Amino acid sequence: MAKKTVATLQTASKRLSKAIKMVKSPKSGAYTFVESVMAPELVEEFLKKK
């Protein structure tokens, strides 16, 4: 049960994407959100990684 959101950010020099994924905590079982700003090519790799 993973939720993923990808937003595109554009600046004058680079094109970046902000990816947000929901990760379940092994300790408490609660879900947390992990977000990162990266190049668009790296988004799929980020979402696949646990």
Side-chain angles (χ1 to χ4, degrees):
M1 183 161 184
K3 180 179 181 177
K4 59 183 179 181
T5 304
V6 178
T8 303
L9 308 172
Q10 291 183 328
T11 62
S13 60
K14 284 188 178 180
R15 183 177 165 172
L16 300 173
S17 294
K18 180 178 183 180
I20 304 170
K21 68 179 175 178
M22 196 165 67
V23 179
K24 188 173 183 178
S25 172
K27 256 187 177 176
S28 65
Y31 285 94
T32 59
F33 292 95
V34 178
E35 50 185 270
S36 180
V37 176
M38 65 196 76
E41 306 85 49
L42 303 174
V43 171
E44 287 298 321
E45 184 180 318
F46 172 76
L47 293 175
K48 289 181 183 177
K49 187 172 60 171
K50 288 192 173 190

Coordinates of all heavy atoms in Angstrom, one line a residue:
M1 N 0.8 -1.2 0.0 CA 0.0 0.0 0.0 C 0.9 1.2 0.0 O 1.2 1.8 1.0 CB -0.9 0.0 1.2 CG -1.8 1.1 1.3 SD -3.1 0.6 2.4 CE -4.1 2.0 2.2
A2 N 1.3 1.6 -1.1 CA 2.2 2.7 -1.3 C 1.6 3.8 -2.1 O 1.0 3.6 -3.1 CB 3.5 2.3 -1.9
K3 N 1.7 5.0 -1.6 CA 1.2 6.2 -2.3 C 2.3 6.9 -2.9 O 3.3 7.1 -2.2 CB 0.4 7.1 -1.3 CG -0.2 8.3 -1.9 CD -0.9 9.1 -0.9 CE -1.6 10.3 -1.6 NZ -2.4 11.1 -0.6
K4 N 2.3 7.3 -4.1 CA 3.4 8.1 -4.7 C 2.8 9.3 -5.4 O 1.8 9.3 -6.0 CB 4.2 7.2 -5.6 CG 3.4 6.7 -6.8 CD 4.3 5.8 -7.6 CE 3.5 5.2 -8.8 NZ 4.3 4.3 -9.6
T5 N 3.6 10.4 -5.2 CA 3.3 11.7 -5.8 C 4.5 12.2 -6.4 O 5.6 12.2 -5.8 CB 2.7 12.7 -4.8 OG1 1.6 12.1 -4.1 CG2 2.3 13.9 -5.4
V6 N 4.4 12.7 -7.6 CA 5.6 13.3 -8.3 C 5.2 14.7 -8.8 O 4.2 14.8 -9.5 CB 6.1 12.5 -9.5 CG1 7.2 13.1 -10.2 CG2 6.5 11.1 -9.0
A7 N 5.9 15.7 -8.4 CA 5.6 17.1 -8.9 C 6.9 17.6 -9.7 O 8.0 17.2 -9.3 CB 5.4 18.0 -7.7
T8 N 6.7 18.3 -10.7 CA 7.8 18.8 -11.5 C 8.1 20.3 -11.1 O 7.2 21.1 -11.1 CB 7.4 18.7 -13.0 OG1 7.1 17.4 -13.3 CG2 8.6 19.2 -13.9
L9 N 9.3 20.5 -10.9 CA 9.8 21.9 -10.5 C 10.8 22.3 -11.6 O 11.7 21.6 -12.0 CB 10.5 21.8 -9.1 CG 9.8 21.2 -8.0 CD1 10.7 21.1 -6.8 CD2 8.6 22.0 -7.6
Q10 N 10.6 23.5 -12.1 CA 11.5 24.1 -13.1 C 12.2 25.3 -12.5 O 11.6 26.2 -12.0 CB 10.7 24.4 -14.3 CG 10.2 23.2 -15.1 CD 9.5 23.6 -16.3 OE1 8.9 24.6 -16.5 NE2 9.6 22.7 -17.3
T11 N 13.5 25.3 -12.7 CA 14.3 26.5 -12.4 C 15.0 27.0 -13.6 O 14.9 26.4 -14.7 CB 15.3 26.2 -11.3 OG1 16.2 25.2 -11.8 CG2 14.7 25.6 -10.0
A12 N 15.7 28.1 -13.5 CA 16.4 28.6 -14.7 C 17.5 27.7 -15.2 O 17.7 27.6 -16.4 CB 17.0 30.0 -14.3
S13 N 18.1 26.9 -14.3 CA 19.2 26.1 -14.8 C 18.9 24.7 -15.0 O 19.4 24.0 -15.9 CB 20.4 26.2 -13.8 OG 20.0 25.8 -12.6
K14 N 18.1 24.1 -14.1 CA 17.8 22.6 -14.2 C 16.3 22.4 -14.1 O 15.6 23.2 -13.6 CB 18.5 21.9 -13.0 CG 19.9 21.8 -13.2 CD 20.4 20.9 -12.0 CE 21.9 20.6 -12.1 NZ 22.4 19.8 -11.0
R15 N 15.9 21.2 -14.5 CA 14.6 20.7 -14.3 C 14.6 19.6 -13.2 O 15.4 18.7 -13.3 CB 14.1 20.1 -15.6 CG 12.6 19.7 -15.5 CD 12.1 19.2 -16.8 NE 10.9 18.4 -16.5 CZ 10.1 18.0 -17.4 NH1 10.3 18.1 -18.6 NH2 9.0 17.3 -17.0
L16 N 13.9 19.8 -12.2 CA 13.9 18.9 -11.0 C 12.5 18.4 -10.8 O 11.5 19.0 -11.1 CB 14.4 19.7 -9.8 CG 15.8 20.2 -9.9 CD1 16.1 21.1 -8.7 CD2 16.8 19.2 -10.1
S17 N 12.4 17.3 -10.1 CA 11.2 16.7 -9.7 C 11.2 16.4 -8.2 O 12.2 16.1 -7.6 CB 10.9 15.3 -10.4 OG 10.8 15.6 -11.8
K18 N 10.1 16.6 -7.6 CA 9.9 16.3 -6.1 C 9.1 15.1 -6.0 O 7.9 15.0 -6.5 CB 9.3 17.5 -5.4 CG 9.1 17.2 -3.9 CD 8.5 18.5 -3.3 CE 8.4 18.3 -1.8 NZ 7.8 19.5 -1.2
A19 N 9.6 14.0 -5.4 CA 8.9 12.7 -5.3 C 8.6 12.5 -3.8 O 9.4 12.8 -2.9 CB 9.8 11.6 -5.8
I20 N 7.4 12.1 -3.5 CA 6.9 11.8 -2.2 C 6.4 10.4 -2.1 O 5.6 10.0 -3.0 CB 5.8 12.8 -1.7 CG1 6.3 14.2 -1.9 CG2 5.4 12.5 -0.3 CD1 5.2 15.2 -1.7
K21 N 6.9 9.6 -1.2 CA 6.3 8.2 -1.1 C 6.0 8.0 0.4 O 6.6 8.5 1.3 CB 7.3 7.2 -1.6 CG 8.6 7.0 -0.8 CD 9.4 5.9 -1.5 CE 10.7 5.8 -0.8 NZ 11.5 4.7 -1.4
M22 N 5.0 7.1 0.6 CA 4.6 6.7 1.9 C 5.3 5.4 2.3 O 5.2 4.4 1.6 CB 3.1 6.5 1.9 CG 2.4 6.5 3.2 SD 0.6 6.7 3.1 CE 0.1 5.2 2.4
V23 N 5.9 5.4 3.5 CA 6.7 4.3 3.9 C 6.2 3.9 5.3 O 5.9 4.7 6.2 CB 8.2 4.7 4.1 CG1 9.0 3.5 4.6 CG2 8.7 5.2 2.8
K24 N 6.0 2.5 5.5 CA 5.5 2.0 6.7 C 6.6 1.8 7.7 O 7.6 1.1 7.3 CB 4.7 0.7 6.5 CG 4.0 0.2 7.7 CD 3.2 -1.0 7.4 CE 2.4 -1.5 8.6 NZ 1.5 -2.6 8.3
S25 N 6.5 2.3 8.9 CA 7.6 2.1 9.9 C 7.6 0.7 10.4 O 6.5 0.2 10.8 CB 7.4 3.1 11.0 OG 8.3 2.8 12.1
P26 N 8.7 0.0 10.5 CA 8.8 -1.4 11.0 C 8.5 -1.4 12.5 O 8.0 -2.4 13.0 CB 10.2 -1.8 10.6 CG 11.0 -0.6 10.4 CD 10.0 0.4 10.0
K27 N 8.9 -0.4 13.2 CA 8.7 -0.3 14.7 C 7.3 -0.2 15.1 O 6.7 -1.0 15.8 CB 9.5 0.8 15.3 CG 10.8 0.4 15.9 CD 11.4 1.6 16.6 CE 12.7 1.2 17.3 NZ 13.3 2.3 17.9
S28 N 6.6 0.9 14.6 CA 5.3 1.2 15.1 C 4.2 0.8 14.2 O 3.0 0.7 14.6 CB 5.2 2.7 15.4 OG 5.4 3.4 14.2
G29 N 4.5 0.6 12.9 CA 3.5 0.2 11.9 C 2.8 1.5 11.4 O 1.9 1.3 10.5
A30 N 3.2 2.6 11.8 CA 2.6 3.9 11.3 C 3.3 4.2 10.0 O 4.4 3.9 9.7 CB 2.8 5.0 12.3
Y31 N 2.5 5.0 9.1 CA 3.1 5.4 7.9 C 3.7 6.8 8.0 O 3.1 7.7 8.7 CB 2.0 5.4 6.8 CG 1.6 4.0 6.3 CD1 0.5 3.4 6.9 CD2 2.3 3.4 5.3 CE1 0.2 2.1 6.5 CE2 2.0 2.2 4.9 CZ 0.9 1.5 5.5 OH 0.6 0.2 5.1
T32 N 4.8 7.0 7.3 CA 5.4 8.3 7.3 C 5.7 8.7 5.8 O 5.7 7.8 4.9 CB 6.8 8.3 8.0 OG1 7.6 7.3 7.4 CG2 6.6 8.0 9.5
F33 N 5.9 9.9 5.5 CA 6.1 10.4 4.2 C 7.6 10.8 4.0 O 8.1 11.4 4.8 CB 5.2 11.6 3.8 CG 3.8 11.2 3.7 CD1 2.9 11.4 4.8 CD2 3.3 10.7 2.6 CE1 1.6 11.1 4.7 CE2 1.9 10.4 2.5 CZ 1.1 10.5 3.5
V34 N 8.2 10.3 2.9 CA 9.6 10.6 2.6 C 9.6 11.3 1.3 O 9.0 10.9 0.3 CB 10.4 9.3 2.5 CG1 11.8 9.6 2.1 CG2 10.4 8.5 3.7
E35 N 10.2 12.5 1.3 CA 10.2 13.3 0.1 C 11.6 13.7 -0.3 O 12.5 13.9 0.6 CB 9.3 14.6 0.2 CG 9.5 15.4 1.4 CD 8.4 16.5 1.5 OE1 8.7 17.6 0.9 OE2 7.4 16.3 2.1
S36 N 11.8 13.9 -1.6 CA 13.1 14.2 -2.1 C 13.0 15.0 -3.4 O 12.1 14.7 -4.2 CB 13.9 12.9 -2.3 OG 15.2 13.2 -2.8
V37 N 13.9 15.9 -3.6 CA 14.0 16.6 -4.9 C 15.2 16.1 -5.7 O 16.3 16.0 -5.2 CB 14.1 18.1 -4.6 CG1 14.3 18.9 -5.9 CG2 13.0 18.7 -3.8
M38 N 14.9 15.7 -6.9 CA 15.9 15.0 -7.7 C 15.7 15.3 -9.2 O 14.6 15.8 -9.6 CB 15.9 13.6 -7.4 CG 14.7 12.9 -7.9 SD 14.5 11.3 -7.1 CE 14.0 11.7 -5.5
A39 N 16.6 14.8 -10.0 CA 16.4 14.8 -11.5 C 15.3 13.9 -11.9 O 15.1 12.8 -11.2 CB 17.7 14.5 -12.2
P40 N 14.6 14.2 -12.9 CA 13.5 13.3 -13.3 C 13.9 11.9 -13.7 O 13.1 11.0 -13.5 CB 12.9 14.0 -14.6 CG 13.4 15.4 -14.5 CD 14.7 15.4 -13.7
E41 N 15.1 11.7 -14.1 CA 15.5 10.3 -14.4 C 15.6 9.4 -13.2 O 15.6 8.2 -13.3 CB 16.9 10.3 -15.1 CG 17.0 11.2 -16.3 CD 17.3 12.7 -16.0 OE1 18.2 12.9 -15.2 OE2 16.6 13.5 -16.5
L42 N 15.8 10.0 -12.0 CA 16.0 9.2 -10.8 C 14.8 8.9 -10.0 O 14.8 8.2 -9.0 CB 17.0 10.0 -9.9 CG 18.4 10.3 -10.5 CD1 19.2 11.2 -9.6 CD2 19.1 9.1 -10.9
V43 N 13.6 9.5 -10.5 CA 12.4 9.3 -9.7 C 12.0 7.8 -9.6 O 11.6 7.4 -8.5 CB 11.3 10.2 -10.4 CG1 9.9 9.8 -9.7 CG2 11.6 11.6 -10.2
E44 N 12.0 7.1 -10.7 CA 11.6 5.7 -10.7 C 12.4 4.9 -9.7 O 11.9 4.0 -9.0 CB 11.6 5.1 -12.1 CG 10.5 5.6 -13.0 CD 9.1 5.2 -12.5 OE1 9.0 4.1 -12.0 OE2 8.2 6.1 -12.6
E45 N 13.7 5.1 -9.7 CA 14.6 4.4 -8.8 C 14.3 4.8 -7.4 O 14.3 3.9 -6.5 CB 16.1 4.8 -9.2 CG 17.1 4.1 -8.4 CD 18.5 4.6 -8.7 OE1 18.8 4.7 -9.9 OE2 19.3 4.8 -7.8
F46 N 14.0 6.0 -7.1 CA 13.7 6.4 -5.7 C 12.4 5.7 -5.2 O 12.3 5.3 -4.1 CB 13.5 8.0 -5.7 CG 12.9 8.5 -4.4 CD1 13.7 8.5 -3.2 CD2 11.6 8.9 -4.2 CE1 13.2 9.0 -2.0 CE2 11.1 9.4 -3.1 CZ 11.9 9.4 -1.9
L47 N 11.4 5.6 -6.1 CA 10.1 5.0 -5.7 C 10.2 3.5 -5.5 O 9.5 3.0 -4.8 CB 9.0 5.4 -6.7 CG 8.7 6.9 -6.8 CD1 7.7 7.1 -7.9 CD2 8.1 7.4 -5.5
K48 N 11.1 2.9 -6.3 CA 11.3 1.4 -6.1 C 12.1 1.1 -4.9 O 11.9 0.0 -4.3 CB 12.0 0.9 -7.4 CG 11.1 0.9 -8.6 CD 11.9 0.3 -9.8 CE 11.0 0.4 -11.0 NZ 11.7 -0.1 -12.2
K49 N 13.0 1.9 -4.4 CA 13.8 1.7 -3.3 C 13.0 1.7 -2.0 O 12.1 2.5 -1.8 CB 14.9 2.7 -3.2 CG 16.0 2.5 -2.1 CD 17.1 3.4 -2.2 CE 16.7 4.9 -2.1 NZ 17.8 5.8 -2.0
K50 N 13.2 0.7 -1.1 CA 12.5 0.7 0.2 C 13.3 1.4 1.2 O 14.4 1.6 1.3 CB 12.3 -0.8 0.6 CG 11.3 -1.5 -0.3 CD 10.9 -2.8 0.3 CE 9.8 -3.4 -0.4 NZ 9.2 -4.5 0.2

